[in-house]
Amino acid sequence: MDSELAAAGAGWAAAALGGLSLGAAAAFCLLALSAGRSGRGGKPRRVLSGVSLGLAAAVACLAALLILPPKPLLADRTLWIWAGAWGALGCLSAFFPGRAGIPLAVLVLSFLGLAAGETSVWHPLVPGREVARLVPYEATAAGASGDLAVPDRNAVPVLSRVRVEGSDCALEARVLDLAGPLAPLFGPRRYRLSRLTGGGGGGLLDFPRKPGPLTGVLEGREFSVGWVSLRTVRSPALPLEALRALSWSFDGEGELEARLP
């Protein structure tokens, strides 16, 4: 799985760099034609060097795109839209390096920094891996007391003694799905545990959460925009019985499963 993500990431990177190089080469061609018509001798030689460099880089990126990524990626329409967008940015950067190139670099680096900061407070979702376990050592119709083990709570292993009300319990989490070039960078799916709930959906216990730079924007919302989607998932409710553990994990679709091991 990791090798497939790395290969796909190489494909998205090659498409971006190839589009950027081809766009810059096209801009340099127009600059060379314009300079040649105006009779200036020095500048055409410099821009022709830019054309050659851009075309060489574009050919190298095309070769990488044909060799490295999984072949189904080449049939993805968004890959070529992505490459075309970078081509337009490369053209603008060549024409206006100060007005377009520098702001573009700042924008890309700022976006990557925000995305890295936000995803660092989410946990990689591994299907089948236990994400929480509750072992009640005392249970009545009014509630239960027990030990809650959460291996990935803000990246610190936790074993807590908790008390929850009610006769059954479910786990609620937030799932972040990433696609396109974001998946190889940050993983295709990440999660954060939200709370334990009763069978009717009422909150029993909220999990502490480490805030990220975009937490204020993302908190409590569900959406799907382009390569990013955010949703809330809840497991089936299971009865609370003394000394009978409740275990939760994610399936392959990012849905929560509950079981009595």
Side-chain angles (χ1 to χ4, degrees), residues 152-246:
D152 289 329
R153 188 165 71 183
N154 293 338
V156 178
V158 172
L159 179 63
S160 305
R161 181 157 293 183
V162 298
R163 177 163 183 83
V164 294
E165 305 298 328
S167 59
D168 53 12
C169 182
L171 180 66
E172 185 176 285
R174 301 273 282 166
V175 175
L176 180 66
D177 294 296
L178 301 173
L182 299 177
L185 284 174
F186 306 112
R189 191 170 282 143
R190 305 180 78 88
Y191 78 94
R192 290 174 65 167
L193 299 182
S194 299
R195 58 180 183 163
L196 292 176
T197 71
L204 302 178
L205 176 70
D206 290 332
F207 288 91
R209 295 184 293 277
K210 181 180 178 181
L214 301 176
T215 297
V217 178
L218 302 178
E219 194 68 24
R221 299 186 179 182
E222 293 194 21
F223 62 85
S224 180
V225 179
W227 292 316
V228 181
S229 66
L230 183 61
R231 55 196 168 99
T232 299
V233 298
R234 185 182 294 115
S235 74
L238 294 178
L240 292 167
E241 300 178 12
L243 302 180
R244 190 174 186 183
L246 280 69

Side-chain angles (χ1 to χ4, degrees), residues 38-88:
S38 63
R40 289 173 291 175
K43 192 170 182 180
R45 285 193 291 272
R46 289 196 297 271
V47 296
L48 285 174
S49 298
V51 172
S52 300
L53 182 61
L55 289 176
V59 170
C61 290
L62 178 60
L65 190 59
L66 293 175
I67 296 172
L68 296 177
K71 294 304 176 279
L73 181 63
L74 300 180
D76 189 341
R77 181 170 58 97
T78 57
L79 177 74
W80 304 106
I81 295 174
W82 163 262
W86 279 95

